[in-house]
Amino acid sequence: MRIVVVGAGIAGLGFAWWARRSGFDVTLVDSARRFEARGHYVALKAAGVEVVREMGLEEACRRRQASFDSTHIMRADGRPLRTLATDESDANLGGYILFRRSELHEALYDAVTTDTPVRFGTKLTSVEHEGDEVIAGLSDGSSIRADLIVGADGIHSDVRRLTFGEGFTHRLGGHYVGMTLDYKHGLATDADDAYFGVGQMAALMPTDATRVSAILYIGDAFGQVPSGDELIPFLRSVYADFAQPVRDVLDRLTPESYLFSDDIAQVRMPHIVSNRVALIGDAAHSPTFMSGMGSALALQDARCLAGSLANKDVTVALASYEGTMQPIAREYATSARQLAPFVLHRSRFRAALRNTVTRFTPSGMLDQGIRNFYHAEEPADLVPGDR
């Protein structure tokens, strides 16, 4: 089977790994000029850890994980609400690995590209169907005849646009900004810190004595998040009442700092397959990182699609993949939509309720609630009948 995979991120590399294991002829293309391991922190949990474990990559991922013993959850002013131990989260969820997306990306890239190189600097420009074949037109002027095109090119997917059209992206009412800064910050490096305000949140991850990463969530009530030279003053204004460590990070920003920002949005589609095209990862669902399961879902998609193709006729396999993964993706997306108002809305009542629940819920009830939120109770059978 000849497969063109568009996008060499988490979903695309994960799928390529499984597809090559089944003996498929895989061509990976990516619009980036070269491989760059970039990305903010992600926590791979539950089913996501199960998939990398099945791939034999759990040890490689754990070698790259941040060495935080715990997470401190605090109010915006720094007053503590609760501390969650990392090893307890690992046990509670059946797996918990906190690292940068770039670390997961690198582990997958190293595992895949020994026998499946990536054609960098290449975009998909057209999709044409001829009988049981699909023709991928590429930006370098070439084209590839294949049995299947897999769109793994993220929330702003070209494959989705060319195959399904526009209108599937839905904002959740906020914006996020990620950054990493190098300076002597004075923070303890054995814990990451999450500060919750009213309509905004900040997470700080001091990986060593001279480096700290931060992720900011900002609700729409603060107005349009600007770009360019106006972004840094805007962030300092929005977080002016936060604890000193948050303000210190923002004070260190300069016009040369690398900031990654985008809308907090979901992709919601009635179908994720069409003829000989299938979408995986954020191109298909994008539950947003507010679900906490974006990377896990990408890996589950990859495992499910490749496994279905290995066992069934292409048409049957695509239907099986969609029927298996769409309900899982909807559950993750629902979790994100339920959480969003308590983080992004400028409601003091919701913020107070969130803080009270976080602080006073008994540990057993909180653990059960966390398992429910991440749907970690029972690992999904991603490819029914193949084990």
Side-chain angles (χ1 to χ4, degrees):
M1 186 181 296
R2 299 158 301 165
I3 304 174
V4 176
V5 181
V6 182
I10 305 304
L13 290 172
F15 174 80
W17 191 94
W18 288 106
R20 289 293 296 141
R21 185 170 178 260
S22 296
F24 299 152
D25 179 2
V26 177
T27 300
L28 267 165
V29 301
D30 194 278
S31 60
R33 294 182 180 180
R34 66 187 69 85
F35 175 74
E36 290 186 283
R38 280 183 167 181
H40 53 72
Y41 272 88
V42 297
L44 193 64
K45 313 174 191 73
V49 177
E50 181 189 3
V51 174
V52 296
R53 187 178 295 139
E54 194 173 354
M55 296 170 75
L57 296 177
E58 182 180 7
E59 183 179 347
C61 290
R62 290 196 181 276
R63 282 199 305 267
R64 293 168 163 88
Q65 71 182 340
S67 56
F68 297 134
D69 296 331
S70 58
T71 297
H72 298 151
I73 303 175
M74 293 173 278
R75 291 172 34 143
D77 58 9
R79 281 186 279 178
L81 294 172
R82 199 175 198 112
T83 295
L84 300 176
T86 300
D87 57 354
E88 292 177 6
S89 296
D90 198 0
N92 186 39
L93 294 171
Y96 178 91
I97 304 174
L98 178 66
F99 50 3
R100 290 183 190 168
R101 178 194 174 279
S102 57
E103 304 288 347
L104 175 58
H105 193 194
E106 184 179 57
L108 291 169
Y109 184 81
D110 289 346
V112 169
T113 54
T114 53
D115 59 7
T116 309
V118 181
R119 291 173 58 174
F120 285 110
T122 307
K123 295 186 66 174
L124 184 76
T125 56
S126 65
V127 176
E128 297 181 15
H129 296 273
E130 286 189 7
D132 289 338
E133 289 187 321
V134 60
I135 304 170
L138 302 176
S139 57
D140 61 7
S142 66
S143 62
I144 302 175
R145 287 183 174 268
D147 299 292
L148 179 68
I149 293 176
V150 175
D153 48 344
I155 190 171
H156 305 295
S157 169
D158 287 329
V159 180
R160 187 180 67 239
R161 175 179 55 81
L162 290 169
T163 305
F164 297 89
E166 306 277 6
F168 301 105
T169 303
H170 302 268
R171 296 185 73 255
L172 289 190
H175 204 87
Y176 72 93
V177 182
M179 64 197 73
T180 296
L181 297 170
D182 294 314
Y183 70 99
K184 291 183 179 180
H185 47 70
L187 300 171
T189 57
D190 61 350
D192 59 308
D193 303 322
Y195 299 84
F196 285 90
V198 182
Q200 81 271 63
M201 188 274 278
L204 302 185
M205 286 143 288
T207 50
D208 60 44
T210 59
R211 170 165 288 192
V212 59
S213 293
I215 300 173
L216 311 177
Y217 293 173
I218 307 164
D220 283 349
F222 291 94
Q224 180 66 37
V225 176
S227 58
D229 293 341
E230 297 178 2
L231 177 57
I232 294 175
F234 173 83
L235 295 178
R236 289 172 179 163
S237 174
V238 169
Y239 289 89
D241 294 332
F242 269 58
Q244 191 66 46
V246 177
R247 302 201 308 272
D248 286 345
V249 169
L250 299 182
D251 286 342
R252 292 279 178 167
L253 290 174
T254 70
E256 289 72 39
S257 299
Y258 173 69
L259 302 178
F260 182 81
S261 67
D262 205 347
D263 287 332
I264 300 173
Q266 291 183 336
V267 172
R268 304 175 200 159
M269 302 189 67
H271 298 286
I272 55 175
V273 301
S274 176
N275 202 337
R276 292 295 180 115
V277 177
L279 302 177
I280 62 176
D282 281 354
H285 329 279
S286 187
T288 81
F289 42 82
M290 285 199 112
S291 70
M293 296 298 282
S295 294
L297 180 57
L299 291 169
Q300 290 175 86
D301 277 346
R303 173 70 180 98
C304 182
L305 178 58
S308 297
L309 290 167
N311 296 329
K312 304 176 179 70
D313 168 82
V314 173
T315 302
V316 175
L318 295 181
S320 175
Y321 160 66
E322 181 173 91
T324 300
M325 292 310 305
Q326 282 284 71
I328 295 173
R330 281 194 288 268
E331 288 183 346
Y332 294 167
T334 297
S335 292
R337 289 196 297 272
Q338 290 172 342
L339 176 64
F342 293 94
V343 177
L344 299 175
H345 286 195
R346 196 83 168 132
S347 165
R348 295 192 178 279
F349 171 76
R350 281 191 169 119
L353 178 60
R354 174 201 64 212
N355 293 349
T356 300
V357 169
T358 301
R359 184 176 181 184
F360 294 110
T361 300
S363 295
M365 290 180 61
L366 185 65
D367 287 347
Q368 183 63 52
I370 290 172
R371 287 196 297 273
N372 291 341
F373 183 84
Y374 295 121
H375 305 277
E377 285 295 323
E378 185 176 339
D381 191 358
L382 298 179
V383 191
D386 81 324
R387 297 183 184 178

